[in-house]
């Protein structure tokens, strides 16, 4: 299922987040403006948080897959994994706040030994829980009871399926991934996920195979519904389209194929002020496997910490201050503000 080694395993310079930031913020190409300058030109700078509705928690980089586009550089060889102490701090923050959503991601978050405990505790607090799932983990030996666990606790499943074509899907995620994903989707459907008028939400996530912007989310959702229904008799609740951000393994792929400059230019030229005003970082807080805080999962992977000096970790945060913080930005942010916009809930501009 591994299509390539992680950047860390390759001993790539890009395994160092600072090297990625250096490339992204380079002044060598004068045609690429700074993101904050573009925001300022549209009267949108500074970008600030307007509250914290979502606590997105990356529980580690261990994964059963090694996908070409992965911005986490996750894989079977990664060992970063959230401890119980950090997981307990997350639950404590939820219990002492009005944050309504716990969004759990990875890696394959289900491989973290504290995953089920986090879900159980958050659900006991009445919080909505999202599992960002790669699907194949649900049919992997040792994880066979996961689908039932997720259904029992009414966890929303947001599942990556970059194409309804087996060839395209496997080219991005590894040989055999598509068929295992179909198997996992069938199990979820049988448990009630994705059913019309049902309570168990199953969202699929599309991201382009190459250096292009996603097509219309509404049109692509209709295509997915038709193809998955006709070919496999499968159903889902909604589809999210997400733009590939030029970081980690996708950045490496762009550089290796000589497409970095043209892709960045595409993102810059597609800047949409309406999308920029609605980016996900304005209403979320991101936590890494060690409990360190970031504005979003992408900033986390680039190791760009919060501007706020009042809190750096989940152990010492001041939510009232962080709810009004200034967001840290960079050229990678053009990915979330291009076209119809892109975030953890897909595009958000019609």
């Amino acid at each position: 299922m591994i299509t390539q080694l992680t950047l860390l395993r390759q001993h790539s310079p890009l395994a160092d987040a600072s090297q990625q930031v250096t490339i992204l913020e380079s002044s060598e190409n004068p045609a690429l403006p700074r993101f904050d300058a573009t925001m300022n030109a549209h009267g949108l700078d500074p970008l600030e948080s307007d509250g914290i509705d979502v606590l997105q928690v990356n529980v580690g980089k261990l994964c059963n897959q090694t996908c070409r586009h992965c911005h986490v550089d996750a894989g079977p060889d990664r060992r970063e994994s959230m401890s119980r102490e950090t997981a307990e701090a997350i639950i404590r923050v939820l219990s002492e706040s009005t944050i309504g959503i716990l969004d759990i991601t990875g890696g394959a978050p289900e491989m973290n030994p504290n995953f089920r405990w986090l879900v159980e505790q958050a659900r006991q607090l009445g919080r909505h829980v999202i599992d960002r799932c790669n699907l194949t983990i649900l049919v992997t030996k040792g994880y066979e009871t996961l689908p039932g666990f997720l259904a029992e606790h009414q966890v929303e499943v947001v599942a990556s399926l970059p194409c309804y074509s087996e060839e395209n899907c496997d080219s991005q995620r590894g040989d055999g991934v598509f068929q295992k994903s179909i198997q996992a989707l069938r199990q979820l459907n049988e448990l009630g996920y994705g059913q019309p008028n049902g309570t168990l939400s199953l969202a699929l996530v599309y991201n382009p195979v190459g250096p292009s912007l996603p097509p219309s989310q509404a049109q692509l959702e209709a295509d997915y519904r038709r193809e998955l229904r006709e070919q496999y008799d499968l159903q889902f609740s909604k589809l999210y389209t997400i733009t590939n951000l030029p970081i980690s393994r996708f950045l490496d792929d762009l550089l290796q194929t000589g497409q970095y400059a043209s892709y960045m230019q595409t993102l810059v030229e597609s800047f949409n002020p309406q999308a920029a005003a609605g980016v996900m970082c304005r209403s979320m807080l991101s936590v890494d496997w060690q409990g360190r805080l970031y504005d979003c999962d992408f900033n986390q992977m680039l190791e760009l910490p919060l501007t706020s000096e009042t809190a750096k970790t989940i152990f010492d945060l001041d939510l009232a201050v962080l709810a009004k913080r200034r967001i840290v930005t960079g050229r990678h942010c053009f990915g979330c503000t291009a076209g119809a916009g892109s975030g953890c809930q897909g595009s958000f501009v019609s």
Side-chain angles (χ1 to χ4, degrees):
M1 199 173 290
I2 300 177
T3 59
Q4 62 179 47
L5 297 175
T6 61
L7 296 176
L8 186 67
R9 185 73 175 273
Q10 295 176 49
H11 304 291
S12 167
L14 291 181
D16 181 348
S18 66
Q19 294 297 311
Q20 299 180 49
V21 174
T22 296
I23 292 169
L24 286 163
E25 301 305 322
S26 170
S27 58
E28 290 183 5
N29 186 350
L32 289 181
R34 291 180 55 83
F35 183 77
D36 55 1
T38 300
M39 291 286 283
N40 186 60
H42 289 85
L44 296 170
D45 190 59
L47 181 62
E48 295 178 326
S49 170
D50 58 7
I52 302 173
D53 301 323
V54 180
L55 192 64
Q56 186 173 73
V57 177
N58 190 304
V59 295
K61 300 188 178 185
L62 176 63
C63 189
N64 61 318
Q65 295 181 182
T66 313
C67 301
R68 284 180 55 196
H69 68 282
C70 182
H71 72 279
V72 180
D73 195 33
D77 60 303
R78 302 302 298 257
R79 293 294 176 263
E80 297 91 336
S81 184
M82 180 174 286
S83 68
R84 174 58 71 92
E85 180 186 14
T86 304
E88 288 174 349
I90 287 164
I91 294 302
R92 184 166 59 250
V93 167
L94 287 178
S95 70
E96 296 173 353
S97 72
T98 59
I99 297 173
I101 299 174
L102 175 64
D103 187 340
I104 311 176
T105 184
E110 306 88 351
M111 297 181 77
N112 181 283
N114 298 299
F115 172 78
R116 295 193 186 210
W117 183 85
L118 269 172
V119 170
E120 291 167 346
Q121 297 299 310
R123 291 297 295 140
Q124 286 180 19
L125 292 172
R127 301 306 194 263
H128 180 74
V129 177
I130 297 172
D131 174 26
R132 296 198 176 265
C133 180
N134 68 20
L135 289 177
T136 63
I137 191 66
L138 302 181
V139 294
T140 297
K141 186 176 180 180
Y143 297 89
E144 298 91 343
T145 61
L146 261 174
F149 172 83
L150 296 173
E152 177 187 354
H153 293 280
Q154 296 187 307
V155 175
E156 178 180 358
V157 174
V158 177
S160 178
L161 190 70
C163 192
Y164 50 74
S165 157
E166 183 170 3
E167 180 181 2
N168 286 346
C169 180
D170 284 2
S171 71
Q172 185 180 107
R173 307 188 70 204
D175 293 342
V177 166
F178 182 79
Q179 287 300 329
K180 290 185 178 181
S181 297
I182 294 299
Q183 182 184 348
L185 288 171
R186 188 163 286 122
Q187 289 187 18
L188 291 172
N189 273 186
E190 290 171 355
L191 288 165
Y193 273 98
Q195 301 299 330
N197 304 315
T199 59
L200 295 175
S201 177
L202 171 60
L204 301 183
V205 177
Y206 163 89
N207 60 287
V209 174
S212 60
L213 295 181
S216 162
Q217 183 167 284
Q219 181 57 57
L220 192 61
E221 179 175 310
D223 294 342
Y224 264 70
R225 288 194 186 282
R226 182 189 66 250
E227 294 297 322
L228 291 179
R229 182 179 62 250
E230 293 180 357
Q231 299 296 324
Y232 306 101
D233 194 28
L234 293 173
Q235 301 187 86
F236 61 94
S237 306
K238 49 200 165 187
L239 176 82
Y240 298 143
T241 58
I242 294 181
T243 300
N244 289 321
L245 264 69
I247 64 176
S248 196
R249 290 210 287 266
F250 188 63
L251 174 59
D252 181 58
D253 189 60
L254 290 171
L255 293 169
Q256 294 285 348
T257 58
Q259 300 179 92
Y260 171 71
S262 62
Y263 186 64
M264 290 303 300
Q265 197 63 45
T266 295
L267 296 182
V268 169
E269 291 174 354
S270 302
F271 178 83
N272 183 343
Q274 187 179 354
V279 286
M280 62 183 181
C281 52
R282 298 188 68 212
S283 60
M284 76 155 34
L285 188 64
S286 174
V287 188
D288 78 357
W289 66 278
Q290 293 176 291
R292 295 175 298 191
L293 303 176
Y294 301 86
D295 292 308
C296 70
D297 197 48
F298 302 119
N299 279 10
Q300 181 184 140
M301 296 311 143
L302 291 173
E303 298 181 7
L304 299 173
L306 302 179
T307 55
S308 173
E309 293 299 325
T310 62
K312 295 297 183 183
T313 75
I314 195 73
F315 301 99
D316 59 7
L317 80 174
D318 183 334
L319 284 175
V321 173
L322 294 181
K324 299 299 180 184
R325 71 191 184 279
R326 178 167 182 162
I327 307 296
V328 176
T329 61
R331 282 203 180 108
H332 62 290
C333 300
F334 280 113
C336 289
T337 57
S342 177
C344 289
Q345 303 300 318
S347 65
F348 42 87
V349 179
S350 57

